[in-house]
Amino acid sequence: MRSALPFRLATSRMARVGYAVLVITLVSLVSIFQGKPRVWAVDEVPVAFWAWRTQSPDRSDIRAAIEKAHAQVLFLRAGQIDYHDGKLRRIRPLTGSLSQGIKLHLVYNTTRAVLEELESIDPQILATEISRVYREDSERARRDGAEVRGLQLDIDFPTRLLARYEQTLNALRKDLQPGTELSITGLPTWMDSQALHSVLQDVDFWVPQFYGAETPTHSSQIVPISSPKSITYFVNKARQLDKPFYAGLAAYSVALLYSASGSLISLRGDMNPALIASDPNLELSNQRSFESAERRYAFRAKADGVTDGLNMHAGDVLVLDLPGAESLRIAARITRELGGKQLLGICVFRLPARDDPATLTVEQVTEALNDRNSVANIEVHIKAESQDPKTQFGSGANPNNIHKLTLKNSGTASPLVGSLMVDLSVPAGSFEAILAQPGVSIQPMCVIGATTGPQPCNQRRATLLRLTTRFLPPGQTLTTSLVLNRALSRTTSASIAMQTDTDQTYSVQREVLIEAGVK
């Protein structure tokens, strides 16, 4: 009996320990399950945009954002607050009629002069000036028939001065009409500050920017606009603050100019990537991809020159960071998975516009937010021209044999720089000349055998013209003129190939109808 008792006690003790472990495990699992945010469905997340220009957005761009991306809210930059001779004043007010058909929040940022004096500017005086211009703009919006829902501040207070931002917001809140929604943008660097909790007490919601956390000040630094790792961290932090928020995601490219020694000279977010890639003075020296599918290209200036309004010296390095539909798609997916119940929606910077080549197209944004793969699609159009070509090609050219060739990227995938190639079939020996845009090269080719494929040959024997373009982003077109010594038939064939920004190979062959020119 004695020998059996210890055995029973041991068994009972082991059972209790096992039961305790089981309970702890179940409690932990429940805690984890309850603490994990519910994943938002794609069609549940409201969409908003920032519009960040001095001119009110074109109505067609607003309409496209509403109809395609289902945008509900527009954060519209309405002016800057400047500090001069000890006084605050609004400069660079928004011109044009305010947008109708969408909920507006008027946004005000500050000049560098204000940022440099934030420690000495009275928060009450700053709030009073902002309130004054907001009332002025709200009245203007009423006359334009626009619906203004609130005011947003985009002031990059240093983290150490967030307590002064709290004072500004507190004073501003008291000066606003009841029902006015007050919000702020948020810098990534604020996320770990205890003072942020107090700042957010005086706003209805905020829009933390999940991008641009670090600016690479030297050309040797490899820093993406945003990354899955940083977005995951920032979305988790925003959710834990338990304040309603829109997730600010990036959809624009950045160009950074560095000196030959590597020091940062200039940063711009409005340059046309196609102009950079196609400039013959810029030599591609390095390229790489980030885990978010964002691409980085480094170009070295061969000589002094100007590209899209940017002055460069020989040896300078121009770095182009290009997001794509896939990088925005990844960011949106992380936001939906981690945003939690306080997520108000996704706010995309910037509003796509037909005249803003530095921003993703509305089609790219729409596909990304809908969690769909980007699609490659290059259109080829040929039109017989009736213009007199003598001024361009010489008196021997026949105007009936001038053909305008247009390539359009109507897809949502971007080609890698230098990868887009079009082989156009022409009658043997018909090629005479080309009037090409910068960044376009042409090579006469001959089909020698079924197994070898097209090979470079003399233009008098060529049956193919191979056009290679440096870069043709979605939404853009490229036009060039071909001079042939005989007319093309009613149709011709074109083979198109490129590598996309998601490392996919796109290869199609099409029959192209030759459009008749206007006589």
Side-chain angles (χ1 to χ4, degrees):
M1 295 289 293
R2 289 183 180 179
S3 61
L5 183 59
F7 178 77
R8 288 198 298 271
L9 287 175
T11 304
S12 178
R13 189 178 299 115
M14 290 176 62
R16 289 197 299 270
V17 170
Y19 179 77
V21 171
L22 177 61
V23 170
I24 292 172
T25 302
L26 289 173
V27 170
S28 298
L29 289 173
V30 170
S31 175
I32 292 171
F33 179 78
Q34 291 180 342
K36 186 177 181 179
R38 177 183 69 86
V39 177
W40 289 67
V42 168
D43 57 0
E44 288 183 312
V45 183
V47 176
F49 287 95
W50 271 301
W52 211 250
R53 308 171 78 171
T54 56
Q55 174 71 34
S56 186
D58 188 270
R59 290 183 180 179
S60 64
D61 293 329
I62 295 291
R63 186 167 57 252
I66 295 172
E67 294 177 354
K68 296 180 179 180
H70 303 297
Q72 301 178 17
V73 175
L74 182 65
F75 294 94
L76 184 63
R77 179 198 169 279
Q80 283 186 301
I81 306 301
D82 189 32
Y83 189 67
H84 184 69
D85 291 337
K87 294 182 179 180
L88 292 167
R89 63 190 180 105
R90 191 257 294 273
I91 63 172
R92 302 185 183 94
L94 188 72
T95 60
S97 299
L98 273 70
S99 306
Q100 300 178 4
I102 192 168
K103 299 171 186 176
L104 297 181
H105 289 254
L106 303 182
V107 187
Y108 302 91
N109 67 339
T110 61
T111 62
R112 184 177 296 275
V114 172
L115 295 178
E116 291 173 350
E117 298 295 334
L118 282 174
E119 203 160 6
S120 60
I121 294 174
D122 187 334
Q124 177 65 60
I125 294 176
L126 178 57
T128 299
E129 176 61 15
I130 293 170
S131 177
R132 183 192 68 80
V133 297
Y134 175 72
R135 288 194 300 271
E136 181 181 297
D137 290 341
S138 295
E139 176 58 28
R140 170 189 168 194
R142 187 190 64 78
R143 295 193 300 268
D144 289 343
E147 179 187 2
V148 174
R149 298 293 296 270
L151 181 158
Q152 183 175 94
L153 296 187
D154 178 51
I155 305 178
D156 294 344
F157 268 82
T159 305
R160 63 183 179 85
L161 296 180
L162 283 178
R164 293 186 71 83
Y165 203 1
E166 178 190 356
Q167 296 172 30
T168 301
L169 292 167
N170 186 268
L172 181 58
R173 169 64 81 185
K174 294 175 182 177
D175 208 20
L176 294 176
Q177 291 291 329
T180 302
E181 295 183 6
L182 177 61
S183 65
I184 61 171
T185 61
L187 294 176
T189 52
W190 295 352
M191 287 294 193
D192 295 315
S193 172
Q194 290 298 317
L196 180 57
H197 294 267
S198 299
V199 171
L200 296 179
Q201 294 303 310
D202 289 305
V203 300
D204 295 288
F205 65 90
W206 69 310
V207 190
Q209 301 168 11
F210 299 148
Y211 57 88
E214 180 183 358
T215 299
T217 57
H218 193 275
S219 59
S220 62
Q221 295 176 279
I222 310 297
V223 181
I225 298 172
S226 63
S227 69
K229 181 179 179 180
S230 65
I231 292 172
T232 298
Y233 176 79
F234 291 135
V235 175
N236 278 326
K237 294 290 289 187
R239 185 187 70 251
Q240 292 162 9
L241 287 166
D242 201 30
K243 187 74 176 182
F245 71 99
Y246 280 88
L249 304 182
Y252 68 101
S253 61
V254 173
L256 305 100
L257 180 64
Y258 297 93
S259 67
S261 62
S263 300
L264 180 63
I265 299 173
S266 175
L267 183 152
R268 282 179 52 181
D270 62 347
M271 294 189 71
N272 187 342
L275 292 180
I276 294 174
S278 62
D279 191 331
N281 185 44
L282 297 178
E283 180 181 19
L284 181 62
S285 58
N286 182 266
Q287 61 175 303
R288 61 164 294 167
S289 63
F290 296 102
E291 57 180 329
S292 64
E294 182 180 321
R295 291 277 172 173
R296 181 185 189 273
Y297 298 95
F299 300 87
R300 186 174 298 277
K302 301 176 186 176
D304 294 356
V306 179
T307 301
D308 200 11
L310 183 65
N311 293 305
M312 285 174 284
H313 297 291
D316 285 352
V317 175
L318 184 60
V319 171
L320 180 63
D321 276 342
L322 278 177
E326 183 64 16
S327 58
L328 179 58
R329 178 189 180 190
I330 292 171
R333 184 185 300 154
I334 294 171
T335 300
R336 291 194 309 273
E337 292 175 350
L338 302 177
K341 63 182 180 180
Q342 295 288 21
L343 178 67
L344 295 177
I346 288 174
C347 185
V348 178
F349 186 78
R350 299 182 295 248
L351 176 72
R354 291 174 299 173
D355 61 347
D356 182 9
T359 303
L360 299 183
T361 66
V362 69
E363 290 81 9
Q364 287 179 289
V365 171
T366 299
E367 295 301 284
L369 297 185
N370 286 325
D371 203 19
R372 291 196 285 259
N373 289 325
S374 57
V375 176
N377 188 38
I378 303 297
E379 299 178 13
V380 179
H381 301 278
I382 302 176
K383 184 176 182 180
E385 293 281 73
S386 60
Q387 65 183 13
D388 186 347
K390 293 180 181 180
T391 57
Q392 298 173 344
F393 303 107
S395 59
N398 183 341
N400 293 324
N401 298 327
I402 307 299
H403 294 82
K404 184 171 73 173
L405 172 65
T406 300
L407 306 181
K408 180 179 180 180
N409 188 339
S410 57
T412 54
S414 293
L416 298 186
V417 169
S419 73
L420 177 55
M421 185 173 64
V422 177
D423 283 350
L424 183 69
S425 295
V426 296
S430 63
F431 175 61
E432 292 287 341
I434 182 173
L435 180 63
Q437 290 185 357
V440 179
S441 62
I442 191 166
Q443 186 174 37
M445 308 287 289
C446 294
V447 178
I448 299 175
T451 58
T452 58
Q455 300 294 317
C457 65
N458 186 283
Q459 71 179 55
R460 294 302 177 189
R461 297 172 46 231
T463 56
L464 288 176
L465 299 179
R466 174 163 291 176
L467 283 87
T468 303
T469 69
R470 289 291 292 263
F471 191 57
L472 186 62
Q476 293 198 30
T477 60
L478 186 151
T479 302
T480 188
S481 292
L482 299 175
V483 181
L484 306 177
N485 58 29
R486 71 197 75 170
L488 289 176
S489 59
R490 191 170 181 272
T491 63
T492 190
S493 63
S495 296
I496 308 143
M498 72 178 189
Q499 291 295 117
T500 73
D501 54 358
T502 55
D503 293 320
Q504 302 298 311
T505 298
Y506 171 73
S507 180
V508 297
Q509 184 160 340
R510 295 199 173 113
E511 288 297 310
V512 182
L513 177 67
I514 311 301
E515 302 174 41
V518 179
K519 300 295 183 181

